[in-house]
Amino acid sequence: MEKLAFTYDGGTPADGARGARIVGVVASGNLEVLIEPLASSRACTIEIDTAAHGFGATWQAVMDDFFARHPVGGVRISINDAGATPAIVALRLDQAIEDYLRAVPA
Amino acid sequence: MRSYYEATARERLAAIVDPGSLREILPPPTRTRSPHLQALDLPTAFDDGVITGSATLAGQPVLVAAQEGGFMGGAVGEVHGAKITGLLERAVATRVAGVILLLETGGVRLQEANAGLIAVSEIIRGICATRAAGIPVVAAIGGQYGCFGGMGIAAACCSTIVMSEEGRLGLSGPEVIETAQGVDEFDSRDRALVWRTVGGKHRYLIGDAQVLVDDRLDAFRDALAAAVRAGDRLDLAAVEREHALLARRLHDYGACKDGEDVWRAMGIEAPHEVPMLPTDVLVAAVRSRRAA
Protein backbone atom coordinates (compact mmCIF):
# COMPACT_ATOMS: atom_id res chain seq x y z
CA MET A 1 0.00 0.00 0.00
CA GLU A 2 1.17 3.54 -0.69
CA LYS A 3 0.26 6.38 1.66
CA LEU A 4 -0.22 9.90 0.34
CA ALA A 5 -1.23 13.09 2.14
CA PHE A 6 -2.38 16.50 0.87
CA THR A 7 -3.34 19.69 2.69
CA TYR A 8 -5.26 22.64 1.22
CA ASP A 9 -5.65 25.99 2.99
CA GLY A 10 -7.98 28.92 2.36
CA GLY A 11 -11.22 26.99 1.94
CA THR A 12 -14.60 28.05 3.30
CA PRO A 13 -15.31 26.35 6.64
CA ALA A 14 -17.74 23.53 5.89
CA ASP A 15 -20.77 22.99 8.08
CA GLY A 16 -21.14 19.23 8.38
CA ALA A 17 -24.26 19.24 10.54
CA ARG A 18 -24.72 15.49 10.25
CA GLY A 19 -21.19 14.64 11.38
CA ALA A 20 -18.89 12.16 9.68
CA ARG A 21 -20.11 10.63 6.41
CA ILE A 22 -18.77 7.74 4.36
CA VAL A 23 -19.43 6.86 0.72
CA GLY A 24 -18.19 4.10 -1.57
CA VAL A 25 -16.88 0.61 -0.93
CA VAL A 26 -13.32 -0.77 -0.94
CA ALA A 27 -13.99 -3.08 -3.89
CA SER A 28 -11.78 -3.64 -6.94
CA GLY A 29 -11.62 -0.42 -8.96
CA ASN A 30 -13.52 1.43 -6.25
CA LEU A 31 -12.76 3.31 -3.04
CA GLU A 32 -14.32 4.57 0.18
CA VAL A 33 -14.19 8.21 1.18
CA LEU A 34 -14.62 9.15 4.85
CA ILE A 35 -15.19 12.82 5.56
CA GLU A 36 -15.10 14.22 9.10
CA PRO A 37 -15.07 17.64 10.76
CA LEU A 38 -11.58 18.88 11.61
CA ALA A 39 -12.05 20.92 14.77
CA SER A 40 -8.46 22.04 15.23
CA SER A 41 -7.87 23.59 11.84
CA ARG A 42 -9.49 25.40 8.94
CA ALA A 43 -7.53 23.30 6.46
CA CYS A 44 -8.79 20.53 4.20
CA THR A 45 -6.60 17.48 4.80
CA ILE A 46 -6.70 14.41 2.58
CA GLU A 47 -5.05 11.11 3.52
CA ILE A 48 -4.95 8.31 0.97
CA ASP A 49 -4.15 4.63 1.40
CA THR A 50 -3.93 3.17 -2.12
CA ALA A 51 -3.20 -0.28 -3.52
CA ALA A 52 -1.78 1.21 -6.74
CA HIS A 53 1.83 2.34 -6.27
CA GLY A 54 3.50 5.18 -8.14
CA PHE A 55 0.52 7.38 -9.02
CA GLY A 56 1.28 10.28 -6.65
CA ALA A 57 1.26 12.86 -9.43
CA THR A 58 -2.14 11.65 -10.68
CA TRP A 59 -3.58 11.80 -7.17
CA GLN A 60 -2.17 15.33 -6.79
CA ALA A 61 -3.94 16.44 -9.97
CA VAL A 62 -7.27 14.82 -8.99
CA MET A 63 -7.10 16.37 -5.49
CA ASP A 64 -6.21 19.82 -6.90
CA ASP A 65 -9.23 19.60 -9.21
CA PHE A 66 -11.45 18.53 -6.30
CA PHE A 67 -10.37 21.46 -4.14
CA ALA A 68 -10.92 23.82 -7.07
CA ARG A 69 -14.50 22.53 -7.40
CA HIS A 70 -15.14 22.40 -3.64
CA PRO A 71 -12.88 24.82 -1.72
CA VAL A 72 -13.86 23.58 1.75
CA GLY A 73 -12.08 24.01 5.07
CA GLY A 74 -12.18 22.34 8.46
CA VAL A 75 -12.58 18.83 7.01
CA ARG A 76 -10.51 15.68 7.19
CA ILE A 77 -10.92 13.38 4.20
CA SER A 78 -9.60 9.80 4.43
CA ILE A 79 -9.54 7.42 1.48
CA ASN A 80 -9.11 3.66 1.26
CA ASP A 81 -8.48 2.92 -2.42
CA ALA A 82 -8.51 -0.41 -4.24
CA GLY A 83 -7.30 0.81 -7.64
CA ALA A 84 -10.03 3.26 -8.64
CA THR A 85 -9.53 5.29 -11.82
CA PRO A 86 -9.14 9.09 -11.52
CA ALA A 87 -12.71 9.63 -12.79
CA ILE A 88 -14.14 7.32 -10.12
CA VAL A 89 -12.07 9.05 -7.43
CA ALA A 90 -13.36 12.46 -8.53
CA LEU A 91 -17.00 11.27 -8.56
CA ARG A 92 -16.70 9.70 -5.10
CA LEU A 93 -15.13 12.87 -3.67
CA ASP A 94 -17.99 14.96 -5.11
CA GLN A 95 -20.51 12.47 -3.71
CA ALA A 96 -18.83 12.59 -0.28
CA ILE A 97 -18.70 16.36 0.01
CA GLU A 98 -22.27 16.76 -1.22
CA ASP A 99 -23.43 14.20 1.34
CA TYR A 100 -21.41 15.93 4.06
CA LEU A 101 -22.78 19.40 3.30
CA ARG A 102 -26.41 18.30 2.93
CA ALA A 103 -28.63 19.86 5.56
CA VAL A 104 -30.20 17.70 8.24
CA PRO A 105 -33.64 16.57 7.04
CA ALA A 106 -36.41 18.45 8.85
CA MET B 1 -39.07 0.34 -4.49
CA ARG B 2 -35.39 -0.26 -4.84
CA SER B 3 -33.56 -3.56 -5.26
CA TYR B 4 -31.95 -5.22 -2.23
CA TYR B 5 -29.53 -7.04 -4.56
CA GLU B 6 -28.20 -3.81 -6.04
CA ALA B 7 -27.87 -1.89 -2.76
CA THR B 8 -24.71 -1.56 -0.68
CA ALA B 9 -24.75 -2.72 2.94
CA ARG B 10 -25.22 0.87 4.15
CA GLU B 11 -28.06 1.49 1.70
CA ARG B 12 -29.78 -1.72 2.85
CA LEU B 13 -29.57 -0.76 6.51
CA ALA B 14 -30.83 2.75 5.82
CA ALA B 15 -33.86 1.37 3.97
CA ILE B 16 -34.68 -1.42 6.41
CA VAL B 17 -34.52 0.15 9.89
CA ASP B 18 -36.83 2.96 10.96
CA PRO B 19 -35.64 6.28 9.47
CA GLY B 20 -33.12 8.06 11.70
CA SER B 21 -33.03 5.24 14.28
CA LEU B 22 -29.65 3.70 13.44
CA ARG B 23 -26.87 4.29 16.00
CA GLU B 24 -23.75 2.74 14.55
CA ILE B 25 -21.41 0.82 16.85
CA LEU B 26 -17.72 1.25 15.91
CA PRO B 27 -18.52 3.60 12.98
CA PRO B 28 -15.92 4.41 10.30
CA PRO B 29 -14.31 7.35 12.22
CA THR B 30 -13.12 4.82 14.83
CA ARG B 31 -11.04 3.22 12.05
CA THR B 32 -11.57 -0.27 13.42
CA ARG B 33 -9.58 -1.92 10.65
CA SER B 34 -8.06 -5.35 10.22
CA PRO B 35 -4.50 -5.54 11.64
CA HIS B 36 -3.92 -8.68 9.53
CA LEU B 37 -4.68 -6.95 6.22
CA GLN B 38 -2.44 -4.05 7.23
CA ALA B 39 0.39 -6.48 8.03
CA LEU B 40 -0.11 -8.12 4.62
CA ASP B 41 -0.07 -4.69 2.92
CA LEU B 42 -3.60 -5.19 1.55
CA PRO B 43 -6.42 -2.62 1.30
CA THR B 44 -8.49 -2.16 4.47
CA ALA B 45 -11.93 -0.69 5.16
CA PHE B 46 -12.72 1.66 8.05
CA ASP B 47 -15.52 -0.67 9.23
CA ASP B 48 -13.74 -3.91 8.20
CA GLY B 49 -16.61 -4.70 5.85
CA VAL B 50 -19.45 -4.92 8.36
CA ILE B 51 -21.73 -2.22 9.75
CA THR B 52 -23.07 -2.85 13.25
CA GLY B 53 -25.49 -0.84 15.32
CA SER B 54 -28.70 -0.47 17.26
CA ALA B 55 -31.95 0.67 15.69
CA THR B 56 -35.68 0.20 15.72
CA LEU B 57 -37.47 -1.96 13.16
CA ALA B 58 -41.19 -1.25 12.88
CA GLY B 59 -40.86 0.20 16.39
CA GLN B 60 -39.09 -2.83 17.87
CA PRO B 61 -35.63 -2.30 19.42
CA VAL B 62 -33.14 -4.40 17.46
CA LEU B 63 -29.41 -4.81 16.93
CA VAL B 64 -28.31 -4.99 13.31
CA ALA B 65 -25.27 -6.06 11.30
CA ALA B 66 -24.84 -5.70 7.54
CA GLN B 67 -21.95 -7.28 5.64
CA GLU B 68 -20.60 -5.45 2.59
CA GLY B 69 -20.06 -8.04 -0.15
CA GLY B 70 -18.03 -5.60 -2.22
CA PHE B 71 -15.21 -5.59 0.33
CA MET B 72 -13.32 -8.89 0.00
CA GLY B 73 -16.56 -10.72 -0.86
CA GLY B 74 -17.92 -9.98 2.61
CA ALA B 75 -15.35 -12.36 4.07
CA VAL B 76 -15.11 -12.63 7.86
CA GLY B 77 -11.84 -11.55 9.44
CA GLU B 78 -11.02 -11.24 13.12
CA VAL B 79 -12.31 -7.69 13.59
CA HIS B 80 -15.31 -8.19 11.29
CA GLY B 81 -16.29 -11.31 13.22
CA ALA B 82 -15.72 -9.72 16.63
CA LYS B 83 -18.11 -6.90 15.71
CA ILE B 84 -20.89 -9.42 14.98
CA THR B 85 -20.10 -11.57 18.05
CA GLY B 86 -20.08 -8.47 20.27
CA LEU B 87 -23.45 -7.47 18.82
CA LEU B 88 -24.93 -10.88 19.71
CA GLU B 89 -23.53 -10.68 23.26
CA ARG B 90 -25.01 -7.21 23.57
CA ALA B 91 -28.38 -8.54 22.44
CA VAL B 92 -28.48 -10.94 25.39
CA ALA B 93 -27.21 -8.31 27.84
CA THR B 94 -29.68 -5.62 26.77
CA ARG B 95 -32.69 -7.86 25.96
CA VAL B 96 -33.52 -6.36 22.56
CA ALA B 97 -36.50 -7.66 20.56
CA GLY B 98 -34.25 -9.27 17.96
CA VAL B 99 -31.01 -9.31 16.01
CA ILE B 100 -30.99 -8.68 12.25
CA LEU B 101 -28.08 -10.03 10.20
CA LEU B 102 -27.90 -8.87 6.57
CA LEU B 103 -25.50 -11.57 5.37
CA GLU B 104 -23.44 -11.31 2.21
CA THR B 105 -20.26 -13.32 2.54
CA GLY B 106 -18.04 -16.00 1.07
CA GLY B 107 -17.19 -17.17 4.61
CA VAL B 108 -13.83 -16.96 6.34
CA ARG B 109 -11.36 -14.35 5.10
CA LEU B 110 -8.55 -16.68 4.07
CA GLN B 111 -5.87 -14.02 4.65
CA GLU B 112 -6.74 -14.13 8.36
CA ALA B 113 -6.65 -17.94 8.53
CA ASN B 114 -7.28 -19.30 12.01
CA ALA B 115 -8.37 -15.92 13.43
CA GLY B 116 -11.14 -15.85 10.81
CA LEU B 117 -12.15 -19.46 11.48
CA ILE B 118 -12.38 -18.76 15.21
CA ALA B 119 -14.38 -15.60 14.49
CA VAL B 120 -16.98 -17.58 12.52
CA SER B 121 -17.28 -20.23 15.24
CA GLU B 122 -17.77 -17.46 17.82
CA ILE B 123 -20.56 -16.00 15.68
CA ILE B 124 -22.26 -19.40 15.50
CA ARG B 125 -22.00 -19.81 19.28
CA GLY B 126 -23.32 -16.26 19.71
CA ILE B 127 -26.35 -16.94 17.49
CA CYS B 128 -27.24 -20.08 19.46
CA ALA B 129 -26.75 -18.32 22.81
CA THR B 130 -28.93 -15.41 21.71
CA ARG B 131 -31.72 -17.72 20.54
CA ALA B 132 -31.43 -19.77 23.75
CA ALA B 133 -32.05 -16.51 25.62
CA GLY B 134 -35.35 -16.17 23.75
CA ILE B 135 -34.19 -13.47 21.33
CA PRO B 136 -34.76 -14.15 17.62
CA VAL B 137 -31.80 -13.86 15.25
CA VAL B 138 -33.08 -13.20 11.74
CA ALA B 139 -30.90 -13.44 8.62
CA ALA B 140 -31.49 -11.82 5.23
CA ILE B 141 -29.77 -13.24 2.14
CA GLY B 142 -30.28 -11.53 -1.20
CA GLY B 143 -26.97 -10.05 -2.34
CA GLN B 144 -24.69 -10.69 -5.26
CA TYR B 145 -22.17 -12.73 -3.29
CA GLY B 146 -24.65 -15.00 -1.50
CA CYS B 147 -23.88 -16.56 1.87
CA PHE B 148 -21.32 -19.36 1.88
CA GLY B 149 -18.67 -21.16 3.90
CA GLY B 150 -18.84 -21.06 7.66
CA MET B 151 -21.35 -18.23 7.47
CA GLY B 152 -23.67 -20.62 5.62
CA ILE B 153 -23.63 -22.67 8.82
CA ALA B 154 -24.17 -19.52 10.88
CA ALA B 155 -27.18 -18.62 8.74
CA ALA B 156 -28.66 -22.09 9.23
CA CYS B 157 -28.40 -21.54 13.00
CA CYS B 158 -30.62 -18.43 12.83
CA SER B 159 -34.29 -18.38 13.87
CA THR B 160 -35.47 -17.35 10.41
CA ILE B 161 -33.82 -16.90 7.02
CA VAL B 162 -35.43 -14.45 4.63
CA MET B 163 -34.25 -14.90 1.03
CA SER B 164 -34.99 -13.54 -2.40
CA GLU B 165 -34.78 -15.67 -5.53
CA GLU B 166 -31.49 -13.92 -6.32
CA GLY B 167 -29.93 -14.92 -3.00
CA ARG B 168 -27.75 -18.00 -2.67
CA LEU B 169 -27.02 -20.06 0.44
CA GLY B 170 -24.61 -22.95 0.80
CA LEU B 171 -21.42 -24.30 2.34
CA SER B 172 -18.83 -24.69 -0.42
CA GLY B 173 -19.59 -22.20 -3.16
CA PRO B 174 -20.05 -23.32 -6.77
CA GLU B 175 -16.51 -22.36 -7.86
CA VAL B 176 -15.03 -24.15 -4.85
CA ILE B 177 -16.89 -27.37 -5.65
CA GLU B 178 -15.86 -27.23 -9.29
CA THR B 179 -12.21 -26.58 -8.37
CA ALA B 180 -12.11 -29.43 -5.84
CA GLN B 181 -14.30 -32.03 -7.56
CA GLY B 182 -14.24 -31.16 -11.25
CA VAL B 183 -16.68 -29.68 -13.73
CA ASP B 184 -18.51 -33.02 -14.13
CA GLU B 185 -19.48 -32.81 -10.46
CA PHE B 186 -20.65 -29.19 -10.60
CA ASP B 187 -20.44 -26.68 -13.42
CA SER B 188 -20.18 -23.34 -11.64
CA ARG B 189 -20.81 -21.46 -14.91
CA ASP B 190 -24.20 -23.11 -15.39
CA ARG B 191 -26.18 -20.39 -13.67
CA ALA B 192 -29.49 -22.25 -13.90
CA LEU B 193 -27.88 -25.26 -12.19
CA VAL B 194 -26.32 -23.03 -9.52
CA TRP B 195 -29.67 -21.42 -8.69
CA ARG B 196 -31.53 -24.77 -8.74
CA THR B 197 -29.02 -25.93 -6.12
CA VAL B 198 -28.28 -22.97 -3.84
CA GLY B 199 -30.71 -20.24 -5.00
CA GLY B 200 -33.44 -18.65 -2.92
CA LYS B 201 -36.37 -20.54 -4.44
CA HIS B 202 -34.77 -23.94 -3.85
CA ARG B 203 -33.71 -23.02 -0.32
CA TYR B 204 -37.29 -21.95 0.40
CA LEU B 205 -38.81 -25.10 -1.14
CA ILE B 206 -36.48 -27.42 0.72
CA GLY B 207 -37.11 -25.61 4.01
CA ASP B 208 -33.71 -23.97 4.65
CA ALA B 209 -35.19 -20.51 4.14
CA GLN B 210 -38.48 -19.80 5.91
CA VAL B 211 -39.53 -16.73 3.92
CA LEU B 212 -39.18 -16.00 0.19
CA VAL B 213 -39.55 -12.37 -0.86
CA ASP B 214 -39.19 -10.32 -4.01
CA ASP B 215 -35.91 -8.48 -4.52
CA ARG B 216 -37.17 -5.27 -2.94
CA LEU B 217 -35.83 -3.47 0.14
CA ASP B 218 -39.34 -2.95 1.51
CA ALA B 219 -40.18 -6.65 1.06
CA PHE B 220 -37.11 -7.61 3.09
CA ARG B 221 -37.93 -4.97 5.72
CA ASP B 222 -41.49 -6.24 6.21
CA ALA B 223 -40.40 -9.89 6.40
CA LEU B 224 -37.60 -9.13 8.89
CA ALA B 225 -39.95 -7.10 11.10
CA ALA B 226 -42.53 -9.92 11.08
CA ALA B 227 -39.88 -12.51 11.98
CA VAL B 228 -38.73 -10.43 14.97
CA ARG B 229 -42.34 -9.96 16.06
CA ALA B 230 -42.92 -13.74 15.87
CA GLY B 231 -40.24 -14.34 18.54
CA ASP B 232 -38.19 -17.49 19.05
CA ARG B 233 -36.75 -19.77 21.68
CA LEU B 234 -34.13 -22.39 20.95
CA ASP B 235 -34.57 -25.34 23.31
CA LEU B 236 -34.13 -29.11 23.17
CA ALA B 237 -37.58 -29.66 21.71
CA ALA B 238 -36.84 -27.20 18.89
CA VAL B 239 -33.54 -28.94 18.10
CA GLU B 240 -35.27 -32.34 18.05
CA ARG B 241 -37.97 -31.03 15.70
CA GLU B 242 -35.27 -29.72 13.38
CA HIS B 243 -33.44 -33.05 13.42
CA ALA B 244 -36.66 -34.91 12.61
CA LEU B 245 -37.27 -32.56 9.69
CA LEU B 246 -33.75 -33.10 8.35
CA ALA B 247 -34.10 -36.90 8.66
CA ARG B 248 -37.42 -36.79 6.79
CA ARG B 249 -35.92 -34.59 4.10
CA LEU B 250 -32.97 -36.91 3.61
CA HIS B 251 -35.34 -39.87 3.37
CA ASP B 252 -37.65 -38.15 0.88
CA TYR B 253 -35.09 -36.43 -1.36
CA GLY B 254 -31.70 -38.02 -0.62
CA ALA B 255 -31.58 -39.81 -3.97
CA CYS B 256 -32.38 -36.70 -6.05
CA LYS B 257 -29.65 -35.49 -8.40
CA ASP B 258 -31.02 -32.02 -9.12
CA GLY B 259 -33.23 -29.36 -7.59
CA GLU B 260 -35.85 -30.09 -10.22
CA ASP B 261 -35.97 -33.76 -9.09
CA VAL B 262 -36.65 -32.55 -5.54
CA TRP B 263 -39.49 -30.28 -6.69
CA ARG B 264 -41.01 -33.14 -8.71
CA ALA B 265 -40.79 -35.46 -5.69
CA MET B 266 -42.63 -32.80 -3.67
CA GLY B 267 -45.53 -33.15 -6.06
CA ILE B 268 -45.11 -29.74 -7.65
CA GLU B 269 -46.84 -29.69 -11.03
CA ALA B 270 -44.52 -28.63 -13.87
CA PRO B 271 -41.36 -28.39 -11.72
CA HIS B 272 -39.41 -27.09 -14.72
CA GLU B 273 -41.48 -23.90 -14.50
CA VAL B 274 -40.45 -23.14 -10.91
CA PRO B 275 -37.52 -20.87 -11.89
CA MET B 276 -39.86 -18.74 -14.02
CA LEU B 277 -42.69 -18.28 -11.50
CA PRO B 278 -43.18 -14.94 -9.74
CA THR B 279 -42.50 -15.16 -5.98
CA ASP B 280 -46.13 -14.78 -4.87
CA VAL B 281 -47.38 -17.38 -7.36
CA LEU B 282 -44.73 -19.89 -6.28
CA VAL B 283 -45.35 -19.32 -2.57
CA ALA B 284 -49.12 -19.75 -3.00
CA ALA B 285 -48.67 -22.89 -5.11
CA VAL B 286 -46.27 -24.74 -2.79
CA ARG B 287 -47.38 -23.68 0.68
CA SER B 288 -48.49 -27.18 1.69
CA ARG B 289 -45.80 -29.05 -0.27
CA ARG B 290 -42.51 -27.52 0.76
CA ALA B 291 -40.28 -29.39 3.18
CA ALA B 292 -40.91 -27.47 6.39
Side-chain angles (χ1 to χ4, degrees), chain A residues 21-80:
Chain A
R21 309 296 297 172
I22 190 163
V23 300
V25 171
V26 190
S28 181
N30 205 337
L31 73 162
E32 69 180 1
V33 177
L34 172 64
I35 178 161
E36 302 163 276
L38 189 61
S40 59
S41 162
R42 298 183 65 168
C44 169
T45 69
I46 305 174
E47 303 153 60
I48 297 156
D49 212 357
T50 175
H53 289 241
F55 289 89
T58 307
W59 281 101
Q60 173 85 62
V62 173
M63 296 305 119
D64 289 353
D65 282 352
F66 165 72
F67 190 72
R69 284 195 304 279
H70 301 281
V72 290
V75 295
R76 176 187 182 190
I77 296 173
S78 306
I79 292 173
N80 283 322

Side-chain angles (χ1 to χ4, degrees), chain B residues 4-47:
Chain B
Y4 182 97
Y5 183 90
E6 300 277 348
T8 66
R10 285 184 184 279
E11 289 166 346
R12 286 174 191 160
L13 269 188
I16 283 171
V17 303
D18 298 342
S21 71
L22 181 66
R23 298 288 174 270
E24 192 169 345
I25 298 169
L26 296 174
T30 64
R31 292 167 168 74
T32 312
R33 302 189 291 165
S34 163
H36 303 280
L37 296 181
Q38 290 178 73
L40 291 165
D41 205 29
L42 289 169
T44 58
F46 291 127
D47 54 19

Side-chain angles (χ1 to χ4, degrees), chain B residues 161-245:
Chain B
I161 298 177
V162 178
M163 284 184 86
S164 61
E165 174 178 7
E166 289 79 358
R168 294 177 297 155
L169 168 63
L171 291 177
S172 299
E175 288 87 354
V176 176
I177 298 172
E178 184 182 321
T179 302
Q181 300 293 326
V183 71
D184 291 339
E185 175 68 22
F186 201 78
D187 182 356
S188 68
R189 296 196 183 191
D190 183 342
R191 294 169 69 83
L193 171 67
V194 168
W195 261 265
R196 285 201 305 275
T197 310
V198 295
K201 279 180 174 170
H202 182 61
R203 289 304 182 198
Y204 173 72
L205 288 171
I206 205 162
D208 292 323
Q210 286 68 44
V211 187
L212 184 69
V213 296
D214 279 328
D215 174 38
R216 296 196 326 266
L217 286 161
D218 63 336
F220 271 94
R221 180 195 63 210
D222 293 348
L224 293 167
V228 169
R229 207 174 297 119
D232 177 40
R233 183 173 291 276
L234 181 65
D235 54 19
L236 184 59
V239 172
E240 287 176 343
R241 277 197 304 277
E242 179 80 11
H243 280 213
L245 169 71

